[in-house]
Every structure is written in structure tokens, then in C-alpha cells.
Amino acid sequence: MTALSPRGTLLVGAGLDLAAALVARWGLAARPPRAQGRPSPAETWRTNRRLWSSPARRRLYLALWVPNGLIVGCESLYVAYDPRHAGTLFASAAAGMLAGDTLLGRFVPKRWRERLSAPLRLLLAVPYLVFLLHPALPLAVAAVGLASAGYSAGLLLQERLMAVTPEEMSGQALGLQSSGTMTMQGVGAAIAGSVAQLTSASAAMAAMAAVSVAVTLTLAPGLRPERYGKVSCA
């Protein structure tokens, strides 16, 4: 925005949206739908209950929803933490997420992906603990970028979710994951704002990160790879 002005930034964003639309229209291969017709609300709820009935899927959903939402709560406080440089923090978060997803999704060999799952889940939150010390801008930007690379752990959890979900429910399984993620992001932002009102933005960010780490460690035993080798789709 500093380099292009608000108007220029909006025009660049619009151009990128148009490019994405063109790629989606002509760059993706056609695939047949897994289901025909439009499911009723009752059918949607029945399938969601079936998805949630599996302990393996429940653990995966919680791991995808809760730590992620808590860290989005940290991100919602950038403006309160440093109004002048909040844009830099947001840019660092976006760059870290892009780098993490690209590296893990395209370049990390399959044999390493499972080994990185647990460290990446912790990476999502641990760097934010430094905000308790109200770090200088360079350290804050580095912490945010590093933490955001941890969002790539979601790719590995989604792979596991698909492995323990019948193919005919895979679309709705991802839909439920997306809906839960967005809901928890809103909840995380609301909680973070409430904590910041009582303390400070930096203290609230560190607190949200600490809770995210605690949730991740609590769920970790149920997410060990050997447990999923014995789970069948149901």
C-alpha cells in the first residue's frame, strides 16, 4: 500500500482475483461429481453426525479447528499491538503461510511429511509467545512469518482426514472442516479481543498462543501416525 497507494493496491488485488478466476475456469481439469442432486438439511446433519461419530475424525477436526482459531485470534490483534506497522505484520503472516504451504505441498518428500506434522503444529503457536516481551518490529515480523508457516500442518491433517473418511463423504468432510475452521477463527478473534481488553494486546497474543500449544499437546497422543494405520473408514 505504501508503494502503490490504496487505489493501486485495490487494482492489483482485483487483477489477481481476475487471474485466479481465469485459472479456475480454464486451468483445472474437469472431474465428475461424487454425488448427484442437492442434499437436504436433514441429510447434511445426518452426514455430519456420522463424520463426528468417529473418534479419529473428531481428533482431526479439533486439531484443525482449535489451534488454528486461537492463532487467528493473535492475528486479529496486530492493529491493537502496533497500529503503525500492523500491515507489515499481516504481510509477514501471509508470506509465511504461502511459503509453508508451497514448500510442504510441492517440495517436501513424502517420507518426511509425517515426521514434520507434530513440529509444524507446534510451530503455529510457539513463536507468538515472544509477544509477551513486546518485541521490536524485526523480531515480531520474524516470529509472525515463522509461525504462519505452521499453518501448513493443516495440509497433513487434511490428508489424514481423507484417509479415515469414506470417499462418498469426502466432500462433506472437507466442507465441515472448512466451516468449523471459519467458526473457530471468529471465536478466536472474539476471545483474543476480550482478553486484550482486560490485559494488553501483547499479553493476549501470548496467552492465546499458550492455550494453542496446550491444546496441540493434549491432542498429540491421539494423532500419532501409528494410530491411523489401524483406523478404517466408517
Side-chain angles (χ1 to χ4, degrees):
M1 189 176 295
T2 300
L4 299 177
S5 79
R7 177 185 175 87
T9 301
L10 288 171
L11 289 174
V12 169
L16 292 173
D17 280 341
L18 177 59
L22 294 175
V23 170
R25 174 61 181 86
W26 286 288
L28 299 179
R31 295 179 180 273
R34 290 191 175 96
Q36 300 293 330
R38 185 178 180 88
S40 65
E43 178 62 26
T44 299
W45 277 106
R46 280 194 296 270
T47 303
N48 284 344
R49 285 196 297 270
R50 185 180 170 191
L51 288 167
W52 189 251
S53 68
S54 163
R57 288 193 290 267
R58 279 201 302 272
R59 286 190 291 267
L60 288 166
Y61 278 129
L62 290 174
L64 283 160
W65 293 343
V66 182
N68 176 304
L70 294 169
I71 297 307
V72 169
C74 294
E75 295 174 357
S76 72
L77 295 175
Y78 290 164
V79 174
Y81 175 77
D82 190 343
R84 183 179 177 187
H85 299 107
T88 304
L89 295 175
F90 279 115
S92 180
M97 183 186 299
L98 176 62
D101 285 353
T102 302
L103 289 173
L104 185 68
R106 295 294 184 181
F107 299 107
V108 175
K110 187 175 181 179
R111 66 180 182 276
W112 283 99
R113 290 164 68 87
E114 198 54 60
R115 299 179 187 181
L116 291 173
S117 181
L120 285 173
R121 295 198 300 272
L122 287 173
L123 181 65
L124 178 63
V126 169
Y128 275 100
L129 297 175
V130 75
F131 279 88
L132 186 61
L133 305 176
H134 210 290
L137 180 64
L139 180 56
V141 168
V144 166
L146 184 61
S148 295
Y151 280 116
S152 60
L155 300 177
L156 303 177
L157 293 173
Q158 287 175 346
E159 286 182 349
R160 290 193 191 182
L161 179 63
M162 292 297 93
V164 297
T165 300
E167 185 175 355
E168 67 272 13
M169 293 196 301
S170 60
Q172 188 160 332
L174 290 175
L176 179 60
Q177 180 260 314
S178 177
S179 297
T181 297
M182 290 188 290
T183 299
M184 281 307 304
Q185 288 175 352
V187 171
I191 294 173
S194 299
V195 175
Q197 288 279 4
L198 299 174
T199 56
S200 67
S202 58
M205 292 166 77
M208 298 294 284
V211 176
S212 181
V213 169
V215 172
T216 295
L217 292 176
T218 300
L219 294 172
L223 296 174
R224 289 173 182 159
E226 59 269 18
R227 295 182 65 95
Y228 285 84
K230 302 175 182 178
V231 175
S232 60
C233 297

